[in-house]
Amino acid sequence: MLKIGCHLSASKGYAHMGREIVSIGGNTFQFFTRNPRGGSAKAVDEKDCLAFRDYAAQNGIDIILAHAPYTLNGCSKDESIRDFARRTMLDDLQRMEYVPGNLYNFHPGSHVGQGVDVGIEQIADMLNAILWPEMQTTVLLETMAGKGSEVGSRFEELRAIIDRVELKDKVGICMDTCHVNDAGYDIVNHLEDVLGEFDRVIGLDRLKAVHINDSKNPLGAHKDRHEKIGLGYIGTEGILGVMQHPALRHLPFYLETPNELDGYQAEIALLKEKWV
Ligand code: FE
Ligand code: FE
Ligand code: ZN
């Protein structure tokens, strides 16, 4: 059974997102835990969490993916910015326990001139400071495009972070098709090689979710500009190749394409129809 959905606005709560994704043909969704630029989160609405868990169980939603604000930077040069990332992520993860057993994705960060090795150390230090043994969420490092000083555009960098994390069973990877394309991994013509490399360097068992985006830019551009499915350099067949691959087809897939709900609905319908 294909697990597919898209990014939704969280402003009306979990139960609303559950109904919304089902109404546009999906069975999983992604949402920001708070304003994507950071800032404070609303108080946990326990009634909403329980209503969602009920709805999800009855409507075939077996996993959802939270996304950290993309401005968090656990490897900033500035200690106060690193501290903010740490506190925000811990708060997010504590809230996630009200919808247990799901996924939480974050951008590893930008080392801003400190060098990638310092970045890797600081990201791992942050995770070691906030993960706890009983938590029921899996925290995912997103594969990045390699824009500016972003850490995590090479599989080796992600592996190096995981190597330094103490609670390794709490961490995994979310692969973004636009980002890996822009990072220089040719998933269109050499998917087998890319996945082989991922498996050797990180291990495919660490891969827990996939962001399915076309890219406005060619292989290796290091840009990170998402495009609608079929209108970019990856193409519909390229996206389907990823979604149908025997090693990936069981994973949840999330559209983060430049669309409103009706556009997402059309992309979900297209991919469901073509997926075999
Ligand atoms: Fe992201
Ligand atoms: Fe993404
Ligand atoms: Zn992106």
Side-chain angles (χ1 to χ4, degrees), residues 12 44 81 117-118 134 187 210 220 238:
K12 293 180 182 155
V44 175
I81 293 175
D117 295 335
V118 173
E134 300 80 18
I187 56 172
V210 183

Side-chain angles (χ1 to χ4, degrees), residues 49-105:
C49 291
L50 289 171
F52 168 70
R53 288 164 68 173
D54 240 38
Y55 183 85
Q58 286 161 22
N59 289 273
I61 301 175
D62 43 65
I63 194 100
I64 58 172
L65 174 59
H67 196 306
Y70 49 70
T71 49
L72 295 192
N73 190 6
C75 59
S76 169
K77 242 179 171 146
D78 185 337
E79 159 61 21
S80 69
I81 293 175
R82 295 202 301 275
D83 184 58
F84 177 75
R86 215 154 39 221
R87 282 185 289 112
T88 304
M89 205 177 287
L90 176 58
D91 183 55
D92 278 352
L93 292 173
Q94 287 167 341
R95 290 157 177 279
M96 289 294 291
E97 294 296 298
Y98 290 90
V99 283
N102 287 304
L103 306 168
Y104 178 86
N105 172 65

Side-chain angles (χ1 to χ4, degrees), residues 176-188 215 217-222 233-234:
D176 185 309
T177 55
C178 168
H179 297 178
V180 291
N181 173 79
D182 288 22
Y185 293 105
D186 189 355
I187 56 172
V188 178
S215 176
N217 292 286
L219 181 69
H222 301 294
Y233 281 84
I234 299 173

